Amino acid sequence: MEYAKMRAIAEELGAYAEHLEGAWSVEIGPSGPILAMMCPSKRHEGTIRRICKQLDAQLPVTHPGYICANGPEIEHPGIGRMRLPDAAVIPEEALDEEGLAVDATQVLAVVEIISPSNPNNDYIEKLADYPAMGIPHYLIVDPRTGTVEVHSEPCKGRYTRKDPYIYGDKVPFGAWTVETADFRRYGKAGNSAARAGLAAPARP
């Protein structure tokens, strides 16, 4: 199906979702437009908030005019994809433009927080889509395990570099650093690597 037709269907689904209870997202994946109910936990949202605040504090120095936004959709018509990351580093002025989605060529980085119900969406499908869209940096945070992955250096439709970390690490992410000591795991009372039963590995 042509992307224009898939985009039209996605917009119809979005309009339909406005009349439904709860929060819904519309994406265009390998199988076409997808309407999915969003049920993020407080710890999921808290992690996004912490990351956005940290990146917003650094972006005026590294990339003036850019922000870390919780949404909106990003799209790449050439490969027929539209995705809604948990957060994206984009030009602030892009939010003033008409339309539903930000062009992927404007996106410096994306962030996904793994949900307990559908981890494959972030670890498999989006890990394939984001480098194909040409997005330089992809941060995956997994509150189930207290782990973090940084994917970078996209080449020929895939990321060629993967750097693993755990909660408690200071994580290099593009030109920025994400401090994870206060990230909270799902189902854990504590809020740090030590309380979660993790010990940060020695760094050279």
Side-chain angles (χ1 to χ4, degrees):
M1 187 186 301
E2 294 179 358
Y3 183 75
K5 293 181 179 178
M6 291 192 291
R7 177 66 182 275
I9 294 172
E11 292 183 2
E12 291 177 2
L13 289 173
Y16 172 73
E18 292 179 359
H19 303 286
L20 301 176
E21 293 184 2
W24 297 79
S25 69
V26 179
E27 296 184 310
I28 300 175
S31 59
I34 307 162
L35 177 64
M37 189 173 188
M38 300 170 62
C39 301
S41 69
K42 289 184 290 184
R43 289 191 173 180
H44 180 282
E45 295 302 288
T47 303
I48 297 170
R49 177 63 177 158
R50 286 185 173 92
I51 293 171
C52 286
K53 286 178 65 177
Q54 291 186 43
L55 295 185
D56 279 338
Q58 299 170 61
L59 282 164
V61 176
T62 64
H63 297 83
Y66 280 75
I67 61 170
C68 184
N70 182 201
E73 290 91 346
I74 58 176
E75 68 177 348
H76 192 302
I79 64 169
R81 295 289 189 274
M82 184 174 75
R83 289 297 190 178
L84 177 61
D86 286 322
V89 177
I90 58 174
E92 186 171 16
E93 63 183 15
L95 297 178
D96 294 326
E97 299 172 353
E98 291 286 347
L100 181 67
V102 174
D103 191 303
T105 60
Q106 296 181 282
V107 180
L108 296 183
V110 288
V111 179
E112 296 286 3
I113 314 301
I114 298 296
S115 64
S117 59
N118 189 18
N120 286 346
N121 190 39
D122 297 329
Y123 275 126
I124 297 176
E125 293 186 8
K126 292 186 178 182
L127 187 54
D129 285 349
Y130 288 146
M133 296 168 87
I135 297 171
H137 307 284
Y138 177 25
L139 180 72
I140 302 176
V141 180
D142 195 337
R144 302 172 309 160
T145 58
T147 57
V148 179
E149 292 181 3
V150 177
H151 296 267
S152 59
E153 299 179 9
C155 181
K156 296 181 179 179
R158 66 183 186 90
Y159 289 118
T160 60
R161 178 169 177 171
K162 170 186 170 183
D163 295 296
Y165 301 91
I166 65 170
Y167 280 20
D169 287 341
K170 292 183 178 180
V171 176
F173 179 45
W176 321 289
T177 300
V178 176
E179 173 59 67
T180 67
D182 290 332
F183 286 9
R184 290 169 167 78
R185 292 180 60 184
Y186 297 143
K188 296 289 183 179
N191 65 350
S192 68
R195 292 176 184 171
L198 295 171
R203 299 295 178 193

